[in-house]
Amino acid sequence: LWEVILDDVLAIPFLLDGDCESIDFYFFAIVHRAWNAIKAERASYGERWKTLRSVCRRWKAIVDRQSKTWIQLQSSSTVWEIPPEARRVDILLSIPSPIDDVTVSPEDGFGNVQVLSLSEIWSHSIPEVPPSSLAALNRALDVIGSLKHSIHSVIYETYVNVGPDHLQALNRAFPLMTSLTLHATEISGTLSLPNLKVLWISAGTFDISRWNLPSLKHLALGDQDAPDWTIHYESLQLGPIKKQILSLLKFYPYRVLLTPSFWASHSSLEFFGAPSLLLNQKGACPYTHKARIFCITGPRIDNLNSPRDGSSLHLPQFPHLTTFITPHKKLHTRRRSNDATFSAMLRYCEDNNIAWYMGYKQKVEPPAKGNGSFVNMFG
């Protein structure tokens, strides 16, 4: 029984999943980022593992086994050692260093891997757009070999343009993948992935209007780091997938106008998430629309509430809202904000039977009497 409990405590939610429900899309997307972006989160799990590991010899064995589920490899290594417990492998590709002499140990090491992340690390002395980026990708796929049947999720992070050759290399290697994350400066070319259900794109420019993605359900765009510029969501070339996706998650730099035409073109949308500072509501969501989950992806909630009484500005615009997600340990507001801001939002959620979550499965409840203020509760 303790082994089952420990496995559950040690597990990282969605780490090995290739799909998710709409309500979990934010947390799924964050866990499926590339190594460079998620190392801080992994470090927090490492501290938990370290504590549990010190309890006794039996617990140490369980923790050691679980910690091998997610491993990191360097392209500069001559041997990629993959333990049989490995289910996610993050490979750091040093550019322009070649990986000609890499071997996999054991030879069938990738046979049980479900999630593969390929993240480039650049030398400052290389040209701006080196051909070595494509060469490194192709060589990594060659080293992995034919034992890719279990890989359902792929993350590819580069700092150059991803062109048709990059996309076709990924398409040929993983034609049955269900989740794909692409981080690049620009993305061009086409993909045909009949089983793809989750797509996250972070790029300055891209056009996916001609991509063949008949099963796509969840789409994430942008990055959590806020640049000094914005892009109007309406200018993106998304094509017919607007009408089929159930979840749309937008990070920076995409500014969106929630107009009647937006809701009409996203007729199947159940989950919608965006930074509050880039959100402009132009009328309520139509009563006939399916949208029921609203998520704030930015670090501030200033324009979610009226500065005068803290009442919600956006929540009443969703007539069928059942879930409100603010996935941040600390929500930053203007200094003049006080308990009224949070109590008004919580009161609205309670009055309208809306579940408010801050973090995965962490439901917001009012503080117990005499147990601190809302400001303390929310950081």
Side-chain angles (χ1 to χ4, degrees):
L1 177 60
W2 272 111
E3 185 170 346
V4 173
I5 294 173
L6 268 179
D7 281 339
D8 186 61
V9 170
L10 294 168
I12 302 176
F14 310 113
L15 180 67
L16 306 178
D17 295 344
D19 190 14
C20 66
E21 298 297 325
S22 295
I23 193 171
D24 297 321
F25 182 41
Y26 175 87
F27 306 104
F28 174 94
I30 293 301
V31 169
H32 276 251
R33 289 178 296 171
W35 179 278
N36 288 343
I38 202 174
K39 58 184 177 182
E41 285 89 338
R42 193 180 192 280
S44 67
Y45 281 98
E47 288 299 315
R48 181 190 300 177
W49 295 339
K50 183 179 179 181
T51 301
L52 295 174
R53 194 174 182 268
S54 63
V55 173
C56 65
R57 190 174 300 174
R58 182 72 182 276
W59 282 32
K60 177 180 180 295
I62 296 173
V63 173
D64 288 346
R65 181 189 64 204
Q66 184 79 339
S67 64
K68 294 177 182 177
T69 301
W70 183 7
I71 66 169
Q72 177 187 14
L73 301 173
Q74 299 275 356
S75 64
S76 56
S77 304
T78 56
V79 179
W80 287 350
E81 295 185 4
I82 303 177
E85 299 90 350
R87 296 297 181 270
R88 169 167 173 161
V89 175
D90 287 37
I91 302 176
L92 302 184
L93 301 174
S94 298
I95 304 296
S97 301
I99 52 175
D100 296 334
D101 300 326
V102 174
T103 58
V104 178
S105 178
E107 291 185 359
D108 61 348
F110 281 94
N112 295 321
V113 174
Q114 297 172 316
V115 181
L116 175 67
S117 172
L118 299 167
S119 181
E120 291 182 358
I121 299 178
W122 280 33
S123 165
H124 292 294
S125 60
I126 62 177
E128 185 177 352
V129 185
S132 50
S133 174
L134 179 59
L137 172 62
N138 285 325
R139 179 55 182 152
L141 297 178
D142 288 341
V143 172
I144 295 170
S146 60
L147 293 171
K148 300 188 288 284
H149 58 274
S150 61
I151 297 176
H152 56 61
S153 299
V154 176
I155 302 107
Y156 180 49
E157 182 182 54
T158 180
Y159 297 95
V160 298
N161 298 346
V162 165
D165 292 337
H166 291 82
L167 294 183
Q168 289 310 305
L170 293 170
N171 210 141
R172 287 192 301 270
F174 311 103
L176 301 179
M177 76 172 96
T178 59
S179 174
L180 174 63
T181 300
L182 293 172
H183 290 247
T185 55
E186 296 181 11
I187 298 175
S188 60
T190 60
L191 279 174
S192 181
L193 298 168
N195 295 335
L196 193 74
K197 298 178 181 179
V198 182
L199 176 64
W200 185 351
I201 289 182
S202 177
T205 60
F206 62 90
D207 181 352
I208 62 174
S209 60
R210 294 182 293 113
W211 290 16
N212 179 32
L213 308 173
S215 301
L216 189 68
K217 297 192 299 182
H218 311 295
L219 176 65
L221 300 170
D223 207 315
Q224 288 188 300
D225 297 326
D228 296 329
W229 43 274
T230 60
I231 297 175
H232 288 284
Y233 173 77
E234 293 76 12
S235 67
L236 299 180
Q237 302 297 318
L238 301 181
I241 66 169
K242 286 183 179 181
K243 288 191 176 293
Q244 73 186 60
I245 55 175
L246 303 179
S247 308
L248 177 61
L249 188 59
K250 295 204 291 22
F251 297 96
Y252 296 103
Y254 299 109
R255 181 179 296 277
V256 62
L257 297 176
L258 296 181
T259 61
S261 62
F262 172 88
W263 296 114
S265 62
H266 297 76
S267 54
S268 299
L269 207 61
E270 299 176 347
F271 173 107
F272 175 75
S276 63
L277 297 181
L278 296 184
L279 191 59
N280 195 344
Q281 192 103 17
K282 297 292 185 181
C285 174
Y287 190 81
T288 56
H289 202 278
K290 302 176 181 178
R292 56 185 178 84
I293 307 164
F294 178 45
C295 173
I296 295 301
T297 63
R300 302 186 65 87
I301 59 170
D302 287 0
N303 71 337
L304 275 180
N305 309 287
S306 165
R308 178 173 300 177
D309 61 4
S311 61
S312 173
L313 295 180
H314 286 300
L315 301 189
Q317 308 303 317
F318 296 87
H320 301 297
L321 193 66
T322 61
T323 307
F324 176 45
I325 300 172
T326 51
H328 310 288
K329 294 180 181 177
K330 291 187 177 182
L331 294 177
H332 306 291
T333 61
R334 297 188 182 97
R335 289 183 179 180
R336 68 170 178 262
S337 296
N338 52 35
D339 288 9
T341 299
F342 300 107
S343 59
M345 292 176 68
L346 185 56
R347 185 166 56 250
Y348 180 86
C349 289
E350 289 181 327
D351 291 346
N352 293 276
N353 199 26
I354 299 170
W356 183 359
Y357 291 94
M358 183 179 299
Y360 179 59
K361 291 187 176 179
Q362 298 176 16
K363 190 173 181 179
V364 175
E365 303 287 357
K369 199 169 184 179
N371 222 14
S373 68
F374 280 94
V375 168
N376 293 332
M377 171 185 172
F378 289 95

